[in-house]
Amino acid sequence: MQHKKTNRMEELTAFSIRARKESIHFAWEGILAFFTRQHNAIIYLVITLAVFIAALALNCSRTEFLVLILVTGMVWSAEIFNTAIEAIMDHISPDQHPAVKFIKDVSAAAVLMAAFTALLSGLIIFIPKIL
């Protein structure tokens, strides 16, 4: 009987439950690393909890909750990507370099834009309910 020889690329792309579990495990390790290394993450977590407590207290609709979930997720994702980009750039170029500064500044700007969008969304949802 002849065995089919598989190459490494096929092994990497083949679906397996074990590989998916490992991927989820690595993602959780990333989240834990993010919280242990980024002190602002705790501040973001407190703000996130406050937003959703306020949404519950103010009887936000399902649509309003959905908007809050989406913009909050956008801010968290932007911050995690920003953290990864900064870590890559610090690893590649520990010394200050104008190109690295530009990359890190633009990455931080993405977080600021996401946060500003979330803030505006929150204001549009919460101000009428508070007034």
Side-chain angles (χ1 to χ4, degrees), residues 20-121:
R20 295 315 97 201
K21 286 180 181 178
E22 285 180 354
S23 292
I24 292 169
H25 174 75
F26 294 142
W28 277 109
E29 283 184 356
I31 290 170
L32 291 174
F34 175 74
F35 275 97
T36 57
R37 295 181 186 177
Q38 295 300 315
H39 303 293
N40 287 342
I42 301 301
I43 295 168
Y44 297 148
L45 183 60
V46 169
I47 292 169
T48 298
L49 291 173
V51 165
F52 287 106
I53 289 169
L56 286 170
L58 295 171
N59 295 316
C60 285
S61 70
R62 292 179 85 178
T63 303
E64 291 167 332
F65 261 101
L66 179 60
V67 169
L68 293 172
I69 290 167
L70 290 172
V71 296
T72 302
M74 181 177 62
V75 172
W76 279 102
S77 296
E79 184 58 44
I80 290 168
F81 278 123
N82 178 55
T83 299
I85 290 167
E86 287 187 356
I88 291 167
M89 298 316 299
D90 289 344
H91 179 73
I92 291 172
S93 179
D95 299 325
Q96 291 187 354
H97 188 279
V100 171
K101 180 185 181 331
F102 171 78
I103 292 166
K104 291 171 79 172
D105 288 352
V106 170
S107 179
V111 177
L112 183 62
M113 293 303 295
F116 184 68
T117 301
L119 175 65
L120 287 178
S121 300

